[in-house]
């Protein structure tokens, strides 16, 4: 292979890697809220998505609100939560979301909002406490676990 072809191949490979980095990210699971599906320290591959591309049951990564429940300005470092989609905009709020959305049970989820739950209901900071998550804080959908849980 000549030097010009090698340079072109290298440029194409670099472009492909840049494209993948914009579409795929790796996030580390922090906490037990998604057990038994994901565990503390699991690394997951996340594909960037918009809320309009979500389906019920998708596991998503979304920005975490501050401890006082307010949503921070988009600044670094961002803190992420891994949760499962329980209701999408226009869908019905599930009936078992006390206390934060208890009065909203059966009501349509407002535009730009998501209802997200952890698989470990006893230990999950999710829509049961936060209420609606703003869809514009969504990072993407978990595609797969990158590394197994350490034993």
């Amino acid at each position: 292979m000549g030097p010009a072809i090698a340079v072109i191949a290298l440029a194409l490979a670099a472009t492909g890697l840049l494209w993948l980095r914009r579409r795929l990210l790796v996030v580390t699971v922090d906490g037990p809220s998604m057990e038994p599906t994901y565990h503390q320290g699991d690394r997951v591959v996340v594909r960037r998505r918009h809320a309009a591309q979500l389906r019920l049951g998708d596991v998503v990564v979304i920005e975490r609100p501050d401890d006082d429940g307010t949503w921070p300005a988009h600044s670094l470092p961002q803190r992420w939560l891994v949760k499962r989609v329980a209701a999408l905009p226009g869908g019905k709020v599930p009936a078992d979301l006390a206390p934060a959305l208890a009065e909203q049970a059966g009501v349509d989820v407002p535009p730009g909002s998501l209802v997200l739950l952890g698989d470990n209901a006893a230990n999950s900071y999710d829509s049961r406490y936060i209420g609606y998550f703003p869809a514009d804080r969504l990072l993407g959908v978990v595609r797969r676990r990158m590394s197994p849980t350490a034993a």
Side-chain angles (χ1 to χ4, degrees):
M1 174 172 10
I5 293 174
V7 169
I8 291 170
L10 186 59
L12 288 173
T15 302
L17 285 173
L18 272 171
W19 180 82
L20 278 176
R21 285 196 63 151
R22 289 187 180 164
R23 301 257 190 255
L24 300 175
L25 298 104
V26 175
V27 172
T28 302
V29 175
D30 183 22
S33 72
M34 285 302 291
E35 291 178 357
T37 308
Y38 298 107
H39 299 273
Q40 169 76 29
D42 281 351
R43 293 175 11 156
V44 294
V45 176
V46 179
R47 184 170 184 187
R48 290 187 188 267
R49 286 284 187 232
H50 297 286
Q53 298 170 299
L54 297 178
R55 296 183 309 235
L56 288 178
D58 280 346
V59 175
V60 299
V61 176
I62 195 158
E63 190 173 3
R64 185 188 201 291
D66 286 336
D67 292 337
D68 64 3
T70 61
W71 294 93
H74 293 288
S75 61
L76 298 176
Q78 289 173 305
R79 299 180 313 161
W80 303 109
L81 293 173
V82 179
K83 302 295 174 200
R84 189 173 303 278
V85 176
L88 295 164
K92 301 294 183 195
V93 173
D96 59 348
L97 292 182
L101 292 175
E103 304 88 37
Q104 302 296 318
V107 172
D108 287 350
V109 176
S113 299
L114 301 168
V115 177
L116 305 176
L117 300 176
D119 288 356
N120 181 359
N123 198 355
S124 181
Y125 185 57
D126 56 26
S127 286
R128 288 177 270 254
Y129 302 97
I130 297 169
Y132 297 115
F133 281 81
D136 66 350
R137 300 301 178 119
L138 178 71
L139 178 64
V141 176
V142 173
R143 301 312 303 163
R144 67 180 184 87
R145 183 184 343 249
M146 189 171 150
S147 60
T149 303

